[in-house]
Amino acid sequence: MSVMRLRLVLGLMFLVLAAAIFTRAWTAPDLDARFDPVRMNLGGVLALVFGGLNLARWYAAYSYRQARRTPVRTPLQPDPSAAGPEPPNPDLDFSKRPSEPDA
């Protein structure tokens, strides 16, 4: 299992765990009598933090991989989708000698 997939699975697992802890009053009301509700709420908050942290790290790695897959043209190269080349301007051709010298 790759690290990216592990982060995604851990993030989702922690979020499901946080949801189970915060809905314990409706699903299992006897847990509040057996365990300290303040500590259970703290565990739910920590599960939310860890789930969010793992999902943020997964998303950062995922977006970095997607950005690396995007094709990029070589720097300082003309854009191939731009208009075709312009015809040369004869006034700017300095390789020819003038036919008659200036007097």
Side-chain angles (χ1 to χ4, degrees):
M1 183 179 268
S2 70
V3 174
M4 263 185 62
R5 191 171 294 151
L6 182 66
R7 284 183 182 146
L8 178 63
V9 169
L10 273 175
L12 293 176
M13 183 192 70
F14 274 120
L15 290 181
V16 168
L17 180 64
I21 289 174
F22 286 133
T23 60
R24 74 185 181 280
W26 294 292
T27 57
D30 59 332
L31 284 179
D32 284 340
R34 290 184 3 198
F35 300 107
D36 187 12
V38 175
R39 290 185 180 181
M40 295 288 281
N41 287 338
L42 181 62
V45 169
L46 286 175
L48 278 177
V49 168
F50 289 143
L53 178 67
N54 278 309
L55 287 179
R57 291 178 74 184
W58 169 79
Y59 182 73
Y62 175 77
S63 63
Y64 175 73
R65 282 189 175 190
Q66 291 299 322
R68 286 192 59 194
R69 282 189 199 154
T70 305
V72 178
R73 60 185 172 93
T74 311
L76 302 177
Q77 298 295 319
D79 189 10
S81 64
E86 298 178 12
N89 188 350
D91 294 337
L92 299 175
D93 188 10
F94 299 112
S95 63
K96 296 180 182 176
R97 297 201 173 254
S99 59
E100 55 184 62
D102 289 339

